[in-house]
Amino acid sequence: MGDPHTRKSAAINRLRCQLRKKRESLADQFDFKMYIVFHFKDQKKNCAMFEVAEVVPVMTNNYEDSILKGVKEEAYSYESSRELLDRDVVQLHAPRWQPLRRDIIGCTTEMDYFLWPRNDIDRIECHVFSRWKGDGGAFRPIVCDFVFSQLDYERQLMHLLTSREKSGLIINNPEQTVFLFVDKYVKQTSKNKVMLFKLSSVCLYIPQDQLMSWGVGSTEELVSACLTPQESC
């Protein structure tokens, strides 16, 4: 009958074949939880932590025709799009969230977080948990790093200062696992105009074959660690 690893691989391959026929992805078989954490340079300052209200998984390969159409229109190169498709990437979209603060009752809202100009943020980190749909068990953490340092995103925001676009602007970390959608605002002061950037949405990219790479830990442990006073999460 073969070893357990071989049987598991065969079962996964059969499932993937069935999903392709149904135009679904492996990601559609999971429930997700996502947390967005802002770490500050002052380690005595608590993290700002948010729970995503709804995680929307989208399979990149489901949009292969649209991606290749962009190549024909020279919006981007064939090589870059082919690399994206070959990676079998799942996009996890997070448009709405709620704050996890013990001193206030959070409410779910569209994302609106002030990113720039400010110099107190060290990095933005996302944590993703999942479980099989209908399982009803505990969510388990996916072993994948989603980190965007302040130095990396600020450098890209500087390039967007001259952009005519004011909404739907996109920046990403060097590993291309975290994509931030930002909006640009112009604030008129008594002396001059000030450009502001606010976070409006988050999208994580994760290879499909990592969806079942689970580690140890729970959502409760993560929240407790991040909200414990004077501890770095």
Side-chain angles (χ1 to χ4, degrees), residues 34-36 58 89-94 126-128 146-147 176-180 202-206:
M34 185 191 303
Y35 298 89
I36 303 171
V58 176
V89 171
V90 175
Q91 302 175 24
L92 299 179
H93 292 267
C126 299
H127 299 267
V128 180
F146 302 103
V147 182
Q176 295 189 340
T177 57
V178 181
F179 290 76
L180 304 182
V202 173
C203 178
L204 305 183
Y205 277 31
I206 177 172

Coordinates of all heavy atoms in Angstrom, one line a residue, residues 34-36 58 89-94 126-128 146-147 176-180 202-206:
M34 N -6.4 35.7 9.7 CA -5.2 36.5 9.5 C -5.1 37.7 10.5 O -6.1 38.3 10.9 CB -5.2 37.1 8.1 CG -3.9 37.9 7.7 SD -4.0 38.8 6.2 CE -4.5 37.6 5.0
Y35 N -3.9 37.9 11.0 CA -3.6 39.0 11.9 C -2.5 39.9 11.3 O -1.5 39.4 10.8 CB -3.2 38.4 13.3 CG -4.2 37.6 14.0 CD1 -4.3 36.2 13.8 CD2 -5.1 38.2 14.8 CE1 -5.2 35.4 14.4 CE2 -6.1 37.4 15.5 CZ -6.2 36.0 15.2 OH -7.1 35.3 15.8
I36 N -2.7 41.2 11.5 CA -1.7 42.1 11.0 C -1.2 42.9 12.2 O -1.9 43.4 13.0 CB -2.4 43.1 10.0 CG1 -3.0 42.4 8.8 CG2 -1.3 44.1 9.5 CD1 -3.8 43.3 7.9
V58 N -7.8 33.9 -3.4 CA -7.9 33.9 -4.8 C -6.7 33.2 -5.4 O -5.6 33.5 -5.1 CB -8.0 35.4 -5.4 CG1 -8.0 35.3 -6.9 CG2 -9.2 36.1 -4.8
V89 N 0.6 30.4 -7.1 CA 0.4 31.2 -5.9 C -1.0 31.5 -5.6 O -1.9 31.6 -6.4 CB 1.1 32.6 -6.2 CG1 0.8 33.6 -5.1 CG2 2.6 32.4 -6.3
V90 N -1.3 31.5 -4.3 CA -2.6 31.8 -3.7 C -2.5 33.3 -3.2 O -1.5 33.6 -2.4 CB -3.0 30.9 -2.6 CG1 -4.3 31.3 -2.0 CG2 -3.2 29.5 -3.2
Q91 N -3.5 34.1 -3.5 CA -3.5 35.4 -2.9 C -4.5 35.4 -1.8 O -5.7 34.9 -2.0 CB -4.0 36.4 -4.0 CG -3.1 36.5 -5.2 CD -3.7 37.5 -6.2 OE1 -4.4 38.4 -5.9 NE2 -3.3 37.2 -7.5
L92 N -4.1 36.0 -0.7 CA -5.0 36.1 0.5 C -5.3 37.6 0.7 O -4.4 38.3 1.1 CB -4.4 35.5 1.7 CG -4.1 34.0 1.7 CD1 -3.5 33.5 3.0 CD2 -5.4 33.2 1.4
H93 N -6.5 38.0 0.3 CA -6.9 39.4 0.4 C -7.5 39.8 1.7 O -8.4 39.0 2.2 CB -7.8 39.8 -0.7 CG -7.2 39.7 -2.1 ND1 -6.6 40.8 -2.7 CD2 -7.0 38.7 -3.0 CE1 -6.1 40.5 -3.9 NE2 -6.3 39.2 -4.1
A94 N -7.1 40.9 2.3 CA -7.6 41.4 3.6 C -8.0 42.8 3.5 O -7.2 43.7 3.7 CB -6.6 41.2 4.7
C126 N 2.5 39.9 9.2 CA 1.2 39.2 9.1 C 1.4 37.8 9.6 O 2.4 37.1 9.3 CB 0.7 39.3 7.7 SG 0.4 41.0 7.1
H127 N 0.3 37.3 10.2 CA 0.3 35.9 10.6 C -1.0 35.2 10.1 O -2.1 35.8 10.2 CB 0.3 35.8 12.2 CG 1.5 36.4 12.8 ND1 2.6 35.6 13.1 CD2 1.8 37.6 13.2 CE1 3.5 36.4 13.7 NE2 3.0 37.7 13.7
V128 N -0.8 34.1 9.5 CA -1.9 33.4 8.9 C -2.2 32.0 9.5 O -1.2 31.2 9.7 CB -1.7 33.2 7.3 CG1 -2.9 32.4 6.7 CG2 -1.5 34.5 6.6
F146 N 5.7 36.6 6.6 CA 5.1 37.8 5.9 C 5.5 39.0 6.6 O 4.8 39.5 7.5 CB 3.6 37.6 5.9 CG 3.1 36.4 5.3 CD1 2.6 35.3 6.0 CD2 3.0 36.2 3.9 CE1 2.1 34.2 5.5 CE2 2.5 35.1 3.3 CZ 2.1 34.0 4.1
V147 N 6.7 39.6 6.2 CA 7.2 40.7 6.9 C 7.6 41.8 5.9 O 8.1 41.6 4.9 CB 8.5 40.3 7.7 CG1 9.1 41.6 8.5 CG2 8.2 39.2 8.7
Q176 N 8.3 39.5 -2.1 CA 7.0 39.5 -2.9 C 6.0 38.5 -2.2 O 5.3 37.8 -2.9 CB 7.2 39.1 -4.3 CG 8.1 40.1 -5.1 CD 8.1 39.8 -6.6 OE1 7.9 38.7 -7.0 NE2 8.4 40.8 -7.4
T177 N 5.9 38.6 -0.9 CA 4.9 37.8 -0.1 C 3.9 38.8 0.5 O 2.8 38.3 0.8 CB 5.6 37.0 1.0 OG1 6.3 37.9 1.8 CG2 6.5 36.0 0.4
V178 N 4.2 40.0 0.7 CA 3.3 41.0 1.3 C 3.1 42.2 0.3 O 4.1 42.8 -0.1 CB 3.8 41.6 2.6 CG1 2.8 42.6 3.2 CG2 4.1 40.4 3.6
F179 N 1.9 42.4 -0.1 CA 1.6 43.6 -1.0 C 0.6 44.5 -0.2 O -0.4 44.0 0.3 CB 0.9 43.1 -2.3 CG 1.8 42.3 -3.2 CD1 2.2 41.0 -2.9 CD2 2.3 42.9 -4.3 CE1 3.1 40.3 -3.7 CE2 3.2 42.2 -5.2 CZ 3.6 40.9 -4.9
L180 N 1.0 45.7 -0.1 CA 0.1 46.7 0.5 C -0.5 47.7 -0.5 O 0.2 48.2 -1.4 CB 1.0 47.6 1.5 CG 1.8 46.8 2.6 CD1 2.5 47.8 3.5 CD2 0.9 45.9 3.4
V202 N -4.5 44.8 2.4 CA -3.3 43.9 2.4 C -3.6 42.7 1.6 O -4.7 42.1 1.7 CB -3.0 43.5 3.9 CG1 -1.8 42.5 3.9 CG2 -2.6 44.8 4.7
C203 N -2.6 42.2 0.9 CA -2.7 41.0 0.1 C -1.4 40.2 0.4 O -0.3 40.7 0.2 CB -2.9 41.3 -1.4 SG -3.0 39.8 -2.4
L204 N -1.6 39.0 0.8 CA -0.4 38.1 1.0 C -0.4 37.1 -0.2 O -1.4 36.6 -0.6 CB -0.5 37.3 2.3 CG -0.7 38.2 3.6 CD1 -0.7 37.3 4.8 CD2 0.4 39.2 3.7
Y205 N 0.8 36.8 -0.6 CA 1.1 35.7 -1.6 C 1.7 34.5 -1.0 O 2.7 34.7 -0.3 CB 2.0 36.3 -2.7 CG 1.3 37.1 -3.8 CD1 0.2 37.9 -3.5 CD2 1.8 37.1 -5.1 CE1 -0.4 38.6 -4.5 CE2 1.2 37.9 -6.1 CZ 0.1 38.6 -5.8 OH -0.6 39.4 -6.7
I206 N 1.1 33.4 -1.2 CA 1.7 32.1 -0.6 C 1.6 31.0 -1.6 O 0.5 30.8 -2.3 CB 0.9 31.8 0.7 CG1 1.5 30.4 1.3 CG2 -0.6 31.7 0.5 CD1 0.9 30.1 2.6

